[in-house]
Amino acid sequence: MSRQNVEALDVEGIRADFPILEREFSVGSETQRADGEAVDDGTPLVYLDNAATTHTPEPVVEAMSDYYRRYNSNVHRGIHHLSQEASIAYEDAHDRVAEFVGASGGREEIIFTKNTTESENLIAYSWGLSELGPGDEVVLTEMEHHASLVTWQQVAQRTGADVKYIRIDEDGRLDMDHARECITDDTALVSAVHVSNTLGTVNPVSELTELAHDHDALSLIDGAQAVPNQPVDVEEIGADFYAFSGHKMAGPTGIGVLYGRKELLEEMEPYLYGGGMVRKVTFEDTTWGELPWKFEPGTPPIAEAVGLHAAVDYLEEIGMANVQAHERELSTYAYERLSEVGDVDIYGPEPGPDRGGLVSFNLEGVHAHDLASIMNDHAVAIRAGDHCTQPLHDKLGVAASARASFYIYNTREEIDVLVDALEDARELFA
Ligand code: PLP
């Protein structure tokens, strides 16, 4: 990312596109009205749970409601006007997403799934179960989300393959010397998270992909926390497969994406069967339709695809380099402010180019769930738990952590509210 091209976001303008951010919660504080009566103060929502799900701007809601109002219909099957319009919109959404992540093969390389988890399972079922066997190794990292870790563990148990984990160092970065030891000629797949949803680490995924290819292995990158937050070009990375979710990038729930290199997808068998994905069916056998429909049986997420298209337009209008710079600034500020609070342990690398827009931490003596509950008393929404990275939390020596994650509509002032609430928690548990 070139720093000169980065522009500060018009955060107030962006916030106006997200009516949900205007919500206020009654959290028990009271003020005196002029007539002396006490009334509940509406406390404004501070939403810092964006790594779980981001909010949806008006243009996305509008695009989806326009679909339902004007051209709701099933795709690929109808001759009538509505079906034709819905089909075109659904297909266009694939093209738009392909362009957004640099997939030069266009729609044939973009499969719509339910979410990142399903995208990863698609590779596991379609490729993993048929290609892996005893002696093969799948190399993961210690910071994988369960979406990848549990999936490949299960595939390994079923196929007799082994799973290896690239270590993280004390700062929460991948130990690349260990990566070079782990990835060998026995490696069949390297599956790595692009940006850790717990540590915030931005991993050197191009380097990992290159290492995989040096040993004739494939690479699968989990981009759930990358595509929403920074420019991503799957071909520059060299990824064979790349997965992400609509609901973490200002889009709707119910739609995810799997990018796959066309040559690989062409060779792979579908993992779900049914209508809409076939070329010819007889009583004896079936041949598969074209990419990407071969991997999208049944009625697909049509309104969601329309919404995802609008979300991509919305983010590109802002500029992904600007999104990244804004989040980096907020996470740096959060890191610094949290470091000033005594007894706070922050996980992951110090602020810098390899840290994304989230900060996970613990306040000594306060369970993360209690902390999140106190935050909620201040209408501050954060996440607490293991963030679907239990083995990583075991490695960090904690059962859970609190996580604040930022998006295009967050401000420094909101981080101040978080830090003030943290001070309250400390006093309460002192
Ligand atoms: N991978 C990472 C890094 C994530 O952060 C998440 C969600 O938090 C997932 C995968 C799973 O995403 P989804 O729940 O949309 O399938």
Side-chain angles (χ1 to χ4, degrees):
M1 181 189 83
S2 144
R3 296 293 298 176
Q4 303 100 288
N5 296 336
V6 169
E7 284 171 26
L9 300 194
D10 167 17
V11 176
E12 278 317 301
I14 289 171
R15 287 181 75 86
D17 290 331
F18 293 82
I20 202 168
L21 299 175
E22 289 162 21
R23 288 207 57 191
E24 294 186 343
F25 292 89
S26 179
V27 293
S29 53
E30 291 183 341
T31 47
Q32 295 291 122
R33 261 187 358 208
D35 62 5
E37 196 181 325
V39 287
D40 265 351
D41 256 348
T43 302
L45 167 68
V46 172
Y47 186 80
L48 302 177
D49 194 18
N50 295 288
T53 290
T54 55
H55 290 306
T56 321
E58 283 297 273
V60 174
V61 176
E62 196 42 52
M64 292 176 76
S65 86
D66 185 54
Y67 163 77
Y68 279 119
R69 288 205 183 96
R70 295 186 48 248
Y71 58 102
N72 173 39
S73 191
N74 216 322
V75 293
H76 303 322
R77 286 156 222 190
I79 308 239
H80 58 78
H81 289 302
L82 292 186
S83 178
Q84 283 176 22
E85 283 180 28
S87 299
I88 289 169
Y90 185 67
E91 288 165 9
D92 280 356
H94 287 75
D95 295 340
R96 187 71 180 97
V97 170
E99 193 188 9
F100 186 58
V101 296
S104 61
R107 69 180 62 164
E108 290 173 301
E109 297 190 317
I110 298 295
I111 298 159
F112 285 162
T113 59
K114 211 165 54 224
N115 46 35
T116 304
T117 305
E118 195 188 40
S119 298
E120 302 208 33
N121 273 272
L122 194 160
I123 302 299
Y125 276 87
S126 174
W127 176 87
L129 288 180
S130 59
E131 295 296 323
L132 296 176
D136 288 327
E137 291 177 349
V138 175
V139 176
L140 309 178
T141 77
E142 286 182 338
M143 60 175 99
E144 288 315 295
H145 188 279
H146 295 166
S148 130
L149 195 152
V150 175
T151 303
W152 291 108
Q153 226 174 37
Q154 290 304 309
V155 170
Q157 284 173 16
R158 287 211 216 166
T159 59
D162 287 316
V163 175
K164 280 179 170 175
Y165 297 94
I166 303 169
R167 274 195 303 261
I168 56 166
D169 65 19
E170 288 199 343
D171 299 326
R173 294 187 174 91
L174 280 185
D175 175 344
M176 290 305 288
D177 286 333
H178 191 232
R180 279 180 278 277
E181 275 172 43
C182 286
I183 301 170
T184 67
D185 288 344
D186 292 329
T187 307
L189 178 79
V190 175
S191 180
V193 68
H194 193 159
V195 178
S196 162
N197 64 311
T198 298
L199 300 171
T201 317
V202 181
N203 285 319
V205 283
S206 307
E207 214 178 314
L208 288 170
T209 291
E210 207 175 309
L211 278 173
H213 291 168
D214 286 348
H215 294 280
D216 291 328
L218 296 178
S219 68
L220 164 60
I221 307 299
D222 172 348
Q225 300 296 345
V227 173
N229 308 315
Q230 63 176 68
V232 168
D233 186 313
V234 289
E235 290 183 3
E236 242 173 66
I237 293 167
D240 296 301
F241 303 108
Y242 194 103
F244 54 102
S245 298
H247 68 98
K248 295 182 195 288
M249 52 184 288
T253 54
I255 186 162
V257 178
L258 175 68
Y259 156 81
R261 280 202 295 116
K262 190 176 162 196
E263 313 85 89
L264 295 169
L265 294 178
E266 271 171 346
E267 281 168 24
M268 281 162 45
E269 286 291 301
Y271 95 115
L272 289 174
Y273 303 102
M277 45 92 73
V278 298
R279 187 189 306 277
K280 176 73 187 155
V281 185
T282 64
F283 284 122
E284 289 73 37
D285 205 3
T286 300
T287 55
W288 312 129
E290 303 286 314
L291 285 174
W293 324 126
K294 166 176 135 179
F295 291 103
E296 296 185 1
T299 300
I302 308 166
E304 290 78 4
V306 168
L308 182 60
H309 186 156
V312 167
D313 287 347
Y314 187 83
L315 290 176
E316 276 213 329
E317 178 72 27
I318 295 172
M320 291 311 295
N322 300 330
V323 171
Q324 182 182 35
H326 180 73
E327 286 186 30
R328 194 173 284 169
E329 195 219 306
L330 289 181
S331 62
T332 302
Y333 182 67
Y335 191 99
E336 286 167 0
R337 293 270 358 243
L338 287 170
S339 308
E340 289 162 13
V341 181
D343 308 332
V344 169
D345 288 325
I346 304 177
Y347 307 108
E350 289 195 357
D354 63 353
R355 185 180 242 288
L358 62 92
V359 182
S360 297
F361 59 94
N362 266 309
L363 180 62
E364 222 170 85
V366 184
H367 192 281
H369 285 142
D370 292 331
L371 196 58
S373 168
I374 292 165
M375 291 289 163
N376 194 43
D377 290 342
H378 292 74
V380 177
I382 61 164
R383 185 132 299 230
D386 57 44
H387 320 308
C388 297
T389 55
Q390 280 180 18
L392 174 61
H393 276 78
D394 288 346
K395 170 120 187 173
L396 295 172
V398 289
S401 59
R403 180 182 72 190
S405 52
F406 313 110
Y407 211 43
I408 45 182
Y409 35 68
N410 289 124
T411 64
R412 280 174 169 242
E413 291 70 32
E414 291 181 309
I415 292 167
D416 292 337
V417 177
L418 167 87
V419 174
D420 289 349
L422 204 60
E423 294 286 6
D424 273 9
R426 202 153 61 129
E427 277 168 30
L428 213 68
F429 281 84

